[in-house]
Each structure stands twice: as structure tokens, then as C-alpha cells.
Amino acid sequence: MEIFRFETIDSTFVEAGRRMRELSDGAYLFASREQTAGRGQGTHSFYSPRDNGIYATLLLVGDYADVCMPAFSSKLGPFATVTITNAVLDACSDFDQRLGIKWQNDLLLDGKKYGGVITAVTVKEGKLTTIRIGFGINTGYADMPDELRGRVTTLGLDPEDTEKLMIEIADRLCNHLPEVKQEELYNEYVKYCTTPGRNIMLPDGRCATAISIASDFSLIYSVEGKRPEFTNTTAGLIIL
């Protein structure tokens, strides 16, 4: 795995997208000490102050990307969140029973967000040609903006441990991807996901209750106890 390091950048996820057509087959990690326009799910941003976290994107190109059918792209987010959660738990054993996942790709510690995942793939002639997995994790102690306080938290790691965790996560994402088994991934995701049972607000303004996670990782919910419905996007969805 080749690592590209930056002092500051708009977004490691965007940079990986800019570079992917010029890179040969292989695995690449883009990492920066700071992001000025960190990407989150949908139109959300990820606050990325200098030396306060892991701001990284793993890029797999060519044969490294074509490790499974294109349909697997819908499972990349769950795969990444489960992989990161397990890596954090191994690095910080005192977080046992305190880690969780908010549907679909938010990473939780004591119910507060400490990180998130964003993914993208490209497909050509039925083959995956690139996979991008971006992950942002709060590890330092910088003050958060007022609008984030109370909703986000940090792992509280020093720079050396932060670096070790970033490399460990990238290695696991790269090496475990070809071995993913649907049933095992689903069971682990459901074990960590805290969204079922929560009240949610749908994009159309209706209130509903999250029931469970479907086998394709979509969210099953019910409005006023009526027949269950499904959604596979977080756009406009609010977890209450």
C-alpha cells in the first residue's frame, strides 16, 4: 500500500477521485493532517481541524478493486463501519460495549459520533475498476464548533496511537475486503447498529419508528404501526 501524505487538503476523498485515473493497479492511502472541505454523507461536511483526527481515503485500483461483483458496492459502507469499529475496539479495549453504528455509516462512542465513512465505486464492463473508502475519525482534543458540541466526541488518542490506528484500519479494509461473507457482515453490523427502535423523521416530514436492518442493509421502518417500509438512503432522514 502506497501512502500519499498532505499537510492540508480540501478532501482526501476528492483527491483520491482526482488521482485514480492516473494511478496503476494497486492500493493507495491518502491522508492529511487537515481538511478544508472534508466530505460526509450526502451534502454533509466533516469537520477536520489540524492534527485532531484521522482524515484518510483508501483507494483500490484495477485488480485490487475487482475483488467482488459490482453489487457489493451497497455493502461497502457497512463493511467499512464494522471493520473500523473492530479496529478501534482492538486498540481501545475499554470501549467495549460503548461503540456503535448509527445507520448507515456513522461511528458512535457512548451514543455520540466520533467518525464516519463515505464510499464510492466505478464500474467498467461489469467489473469494479476503483473503490474509494473515506474515513474520518476524531482522535484529538480540539474544540468543536457550537453546532457540533453535545453531538460529537473523540477517541482521545495521542498522535502516535492515531497514526497506528489509521494504518491498521487501512490494512484491514484492504486485506479483509476480498474475504467478506454476507451473513457474517450482516450479523456484525446488526450487533453494532443502534438505530432500530429509534424514532426517525422521514424526508417528507412524517415521523416513523425504525424497526430493523434488512439483509441488503436498508432500514426497515413503520409509520404509525402500519405495514413496514424500506429506505436505503440517509438523504433527509433524521434520527430523533
Side-chain angles (χ1 to χ4, degrees), residues 1-5 27-31 163 166-167:
M1 180 175 61
E2 184 174 354
I3 303 178
F4 297 98
R5 296 184 183 274
Y28 305 90
L29 182 66
F30 295 77
E163 173 73 9
M166 180 183 73
I167 299 301

Side-chain angles (χ1 to χ4, degrees), residues 63 65-66 68-70 122-130:
D63 291 340
D66 189 33
C68 47
M69 295 298 292
T122 56
V123 181
K124 184 177 182 180
E125 297 177 352
K127 288 188 174 183
L128 286 169
T129 55
T130 67

Side-chain angles (χ1 to χ4, degrees), residues 98-102 106-114 194:
R98 298 171 60 193
L99 296 177
I101 296 170
K102 186 180 83 171
D106 282 354
L107 302 162
L108 305 179
L109 172 63
D110 296 330
K112 296 180 180 180
K113 180 175 178 177
Y114 72 86
T194 63

Side-chain angles (χ1 to χ4, degrees), residues 206-228:
R206 292 181 299 161
C207 290
T209 300
I211 299 174
S212 60
I213 308 299
S215 60
D216 64 352
F217 298 98
S218 58
L219 181 66
I220 304 175
Y221 64 90
S222 176
V223 178
E224 297 180 347
K226 297 179 181 177
R227 188 173 66 179

Side-chain angles (χ1 to χ4, degrees), residues 14-226:
V14 171
E15 177 66 11
R18 288 191 287 251
R19 298 285 303 277
M20 63 187 184
R21 290 178 180 82
E22 66 187 56
L23 294 170
S24 58
D25 290 7
Y28 305 90
L29 182 66
F30 295 77
S32 184
R33 296 175 65 185
E34 175 185 38
Q35 292 183 128
T36 58
R39 287 281 305 277
Q41 287 292 323
T43 58
H44 295 167
S45 61
F46 188 85
Y47 184 58
S48 315
R50 190 175 186 84
D51 296 333
N52 197 56
I54 296 170
Y55 317 126
T57 295
L58 177 68
L59 173 66
L60 305 179
V61 179
D63 291 340
Y64 280 75
D66 189 33
V67 294
C68 47
M69 295 298 292
F72 183 76
S73 61
S74 64
K75 303 177 183 66
L76 276 176
F79 162 73
T81 52
V82 166
T83 299
I84 292 171
T85 299
N86 286 332
V88 170
L89 187 56
D90 287 345
C92 311
S93 58
D94 57 322
F95 289 164
D96 188 26
Q97 306 299 316
R98 298 171 60 193
L99 296 177
I101 296 170
K102 186 180 83 171
W103 188 85
Q104 192 168 30
N105 298 333
D106 282 354
L107 302 162
L108 305 179
L109 172 63
D110 296 330
K112 296 180 180 180
K113 180 175 178 177
Y114 72 86
V117 171
I118 183 171
T119 64
V121 301
T122 56
V123 181
K124 184 177 182 180
E125 297 177 352
K127 288 188 174 183
L128 286 169
T129 55
T130 67
I131 290 175
R132 275 184 292 165
I133 304 175
F135 51 102
I137 298 175
N138 301 324
T139 59
Y141 298 93
D143 286 338
M144 292 291 175
D146 290 342
E147 63 270 20
L148 295 179
R149 262 182 219 142
R151 297 192 293 116
V152 301
T153 189
T154 176
L155 297 181
L157 303 178
D158 60 33
E160 182 178 349
D161 288 335
T162 294
E163 173 73 9
K164 289 179 180 178
L165 180 60
M166 180 183 73
I167 299 301
E168 178 64 20
I169 288 172
D171 282 341
R172 291 191 187 199
L173 291 174
C174 186
N175 296 326
H176 293 182
L177 186 55
E179 305 168 354
V180 171
K181 293 179 174 60
Q182 164 72 20
E183 185 176 357
E184 291 180 7
L185 174 60
Y186 176 78
N187 289 339
E188 281 207 274
Y189 187 83
V190 169
K191 178 181 71 174
Y192 286 123
C193 189
T194 63
T195 303
R198 299 285 300 276
N199 293 325
I200 61 176
M201 181 177 291
L202 302 170
D204 60 10
R206 292 181 299 161
C207 290
T209 300
I211 299 174
S212 60
I213 308 299
S215 60
D216 64 352
F217 298 98
S218 58
L219 181 66
I220 304 175
Y221 64 90
S222 176
V223 178
E224 297 180 347
K226 297 179 181 177

